[in-house]
């Protein structure tokens, strides 16, 4: 399975302050133009939840439902339970860095088209990399909004 990694440094914020932003799937997705929608399907004990994602990848709408599990620590693991891909899984990790907080997204996918995988995987890997990069940029943008709100409350 191809693996994608993206990360961003959120300056001037602690991991505990950034963590709620990372857990807010719909909030992260809203600034990402390629994300059509994220819809919460269920939540259990703030540890487990199901979200449905609709994303434009390679010009096509790709839909999946993922089960998300928080912990241990500031980690959010996810795995596709149903959807257009054969497999999709990954993890958000938030950790302290010298100048703030490091946010890392790792995901792995399998298309499920064995004979065509060698031809399609490079294209899909590029699309998933762009997806992951956009989501980590969205975390940075949300963090900047959060900092601005704290400095200038209305």
């Amino acid at each position: 399975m191809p693996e994608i990694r993206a990360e961003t440094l959120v300056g001037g914020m602690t991991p505990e302050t950034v963590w709620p932003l990372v857990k807010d799937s719909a909030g992260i997705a809203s600034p990402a133009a390629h994300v059509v929608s994220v819809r919460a399907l269920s939540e259990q004990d703030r540890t487990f939840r199901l979200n449905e994602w609709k994303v434009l990848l390679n010009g096509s709408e790709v839909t999946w439902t993922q089960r998300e599990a928080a912990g241990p620590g500031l980690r959010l693991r996810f795995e596709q339970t149903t959807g257009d891909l054969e497999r999709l899984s990954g993890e958000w990790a938030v950790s302290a860095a010298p100048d703030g907080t490091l946010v890392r997204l790792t995901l792995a996918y399998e298309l499920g088209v064995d004979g065509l995988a060698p031809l399609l995987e490079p294209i899909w890997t590029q699309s998933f990399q762009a997806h992951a990069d956009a989501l980590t940029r969205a975390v940075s943008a949300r963090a900047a909004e959060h900092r601005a709100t704290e400095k200038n409350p209305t």
Side-chain angles (χ1 to χ4, degrees):
M1 280 193 340
E3 188 170 286
I4 309 299
R5 294 176 187 268
E7 60 184 42
T8 190
L9 178 66
V10 178
M13 292 181 74
T14 65
E16 292 75 21
T17 306
V18 174
W19 178 236
L21 304 175
V22 170
K23 290 192 315 180
D24 180 10
S25 298
I28 290 172
S30 64
H34 72 288
V35 178
V36 175
S37 66
V38 176
R39 186 170 59 102
L41 300 178
S42 72
E43 188 169 332
Q44 303 168 1
D45 304 327
R46 295 185 182 187
T47 304
F48 297 101
R49 65 183 177 195
L50 287 174
N51 282 325
E52 178 189 70
W53 286 72
K54 290 184 181 183
V55 177
L56 293 175
L57 296 173
N58 295 322
S60 299
E61 187 173 284
V62 180
T63 303
W64 68 86
T65 299
Q66 65 186 36
R67 182 173 192 258
E68 300 174 357
L74 303 181
R75 296 185 181 282
L76 182 70
R77 294 178 320 278
F78 58 89
E79 185 169 2
Q80 174 184 283
T81 57
T82 62
D84 296 334
L85 302 165
E86 183 71 22
R87 294 164 122 191
L88 176 67
S89 62
E91 177 181 86
W92 286 92
V94 176
S95 60
D99 294 326
T101 296
L102 180 66
V103 177
R104 180 176 293 126
L105 171 60
T106 305
L107 63 88
Y109 73 92
E110 190 172 310
L111 294 174
V113 285
D114 295 335
L116 296 175
L119 297 171
L120 297 177
E121 277 183 3
I123 297 164
W124 281 86
T125 296
Q126 186 177 27
S127 290
F128 271 113
Q129 185 66 60
H131 171 66
D133 291 341
L135 293 179
T136 55
R137 280 193 308 273
V139 170
S140 290
R142 293 283 314 260
E145 291 170 9
H146 182 78
R147 279 193 306 270
T149 303
E150 283 187 336
K151 287 181 183 178
N152 302 313
T154 51

